[in-house]
Amino acid sequence: MPSFDIVSETDLQEVRNAVDQSNRETSTRFDFKGVKATFELAEDKILMAAETEFQLQQMMDILRQKLVKRSVDLTAIDPQDPVTTLSSARQEVLLKQGVDADTARDMVKYIKAAKLKVQAQIQGDQVRVTGKKRDDLQEAITLLRGKDWGLPLQFNNFRD
């Protein structure tokens, strides 16, 4: 039976390149002269550190620009609230990987409510959609692309 998988993956190499480019830009920009402002890529998050919250906002703009240039979808990042102390400010930017359980359940309900001739089932952090005809699967893809899910979706592993 024809099938495909709905996944949400972020290319971590491109994110790493964007973080490196952002660090380089903050070291050369005039408004960051003499300021300790850094980007750091951890497991599944980007840590930003600066002296003030305003500088964190400027750094977030830089990061977004670099991510867009590297073709990373901005819905894949989730900026947290900045933490400010007297001498420094920090902010975490979480990277979304995989389709979370709530979104996956919503996708399955959405597909079933559309009355398409396909079946959707949750498999870990992805959703597998199967159907008898390739055209039904393509209808399901266009249906899912038409709604904003809050994370970047890729449709891969298309089998005939």
Side-chain angles (χ1 to χ4, degrees), residues 102-131:
D102 294 335
T103 306
R105 275 193 298 268
D106 290 343
M107 283 181 188
V108 171
K109 285 180 188 176
Y110 191 67
I111 291 171
K112 287 184 180 182
K115 305 274 188 202
L116 296 177
K117 296 178 182 177
V118 296
Q119 293 82 36
Q121 59 190 24
I122 301 170
Q123 295 182 337
D125 61 350
Q126 64 185 17
V127 178
R128 172 152 299 163
V129 179
T130 57

